[in-house]
Amino acid sequence: MDKNIEGMSEQEAFKWYMEAAAKNDPEGQFCVGWCYFMGQGVSEDNAEAFKWFAKSAAQNYGAAAHMMGICYESGFGVEEDIKKAASWFGQAARLGNPSAQYRMGKCYADGLGVEQDDVKAFQCFYEAATNGSVQGLTEVGICLATGKGVDKDPENAFQCFKKASEPQNYPGALLNLAQCYEIGFGTKKNLREAKRLKDLANMVAEALANN
């Protein structure tokens, strides 16, 4: 799928995606599924979204495999099945999808659809972080802070939270970073910075909730 859709309306983009999907293009199939999932250019329809994600995932398209996990996890367009969700997250993770690597880590951390395993959880979080996931990097920091699945390391935990909070002001990282400053964990105690970070996290979270 090589056409630039910038400037198209949502309806025009959906039509183009559908044309690509009809030619068995996995990216086009994923985009059709996403349009149905989000109600962009077409009426929202989770069952149709699931159908197109499945077609794309069958061709090993990582983002589609990740969405198959999301659908099974929450019952979007298909009966909820946490074991199948974990299986799809695992497939998408092996295909290099950072969001799926993060979610697979959560599955191992919480024993959702797989046997609970802190070491495997850390490995998944680390892979996600390496591929640019701020959620994954925050979880790596939590593992280093608590010693779950890896040796406890306060200084590196602090650095993970700091790095994860910088690009997009990710609230989860900001709150963990604030706690580090509040109690002097991995860094010098700084109550003023802790308060600033908490206020920023709350402001970002509120803005995201209103979008």
Side-chain angles (χ1 to χ4, degrees):
M1 196 174 72
D2 56 6
K3 187 169 181 176
N4 187 353
I5 64 164
E6 188 175 347
M8 286 187 181
S9 68
E10 290 184 351
Q11 290 76 16
E12 290 171 332
F14 176 75
K15 182 180 178 181
W16 171 249
Y17 295 146
M18 187 61 84
E19 289 176 359
K23 297 175 183 175
N24 210 33
D25 180 271
E27 184 180 1
Q29 292 168 336
F30 168 76
C31 289
V32 168
W34 185 254
C35 287
Y36 275 117
F37 188 75
M38 298 298 293
Q40 294 179 347
V42 68
S43 297
E44 185 178 321
D45 188 327
N46 286 334
E48 278 294 306
F50 178 83
K51 181 182 80 174
W52 287 102
F53 289 146
K55 288 177 182 288
S56 180
Q59 298 193 68
N60 291 323
Y61 194 73
H66 171 243
M67 287 307 300
M68 290 290 288
I70 295 291
C71 289
Y72 274 115
E73 181 181 53
S74 300
F76 293 135
V78 68
E79 186 175 350
E80 186 177 319
D81 189 324
I82 194 60
K83 287 186 176 180
K84 286 184 178 179
S87 178
W88 278 108
F89 287 144
Q91 180 174 328
R94 289 188 292 273
L95 290 169
N97 184 278
S99 295
Q101 290 164 344
Y102 162 73
R103 285 187 174 270
M104 196 68 232
K106 296 295 284 184
C107 287
Y108 278 122
D110 299 331
L112 299 174
V114 292
E115 186 175 349
Q116 198 277 337
D117 190 319
D118 286 334
V119 173
K120 288 183 178 179
F122 175 77
Q123 291 170 344
C124 290
F125 292 142
Y126 185 82
E127 287 178 354
T130 300
N131 286 320
S133 168
V134 293
Q135 293 95 334
L137 184 56
T138 300
E139 292 294 336
V140 168
I142 292 172
C143 290
L144 289 167
T146 59
K148 283 191 173 182
V150 66
D151 291 339
K152 193 171 182 178
D153 189 334
E155 289 76 18
N156 276 326
F158 170 79
Q159 290 300 326
C160 285
F161 297 142
K162 189 172 187 295
K163 186 175 179 181
S165 69
E166 288 171 350
Q168 303 166 352
N169 286 331
Y170 176 55
L174 288 168
L175 288 173
N176 279 286
L177 187 61
Q179 188 173 18
C180 288
Y181 278 117
E182 192 170 50
I183 64 175
F185 186 82
T187 189
K188 290 183 179 180
K189 193 172 182 178
N190 188 330
L191 296 180
R192 180 177 294 180
E193 182 65 2
K195 183 180 185 307
R196 185 189 73 82
L197 290 166
K198 283 183 179 179
D199 290 344
L200 178 58
N202 291 332
M203 182 179 69
V204 173
E206 184 177 347
L208 290 172
N210 291 331
N211 284 341

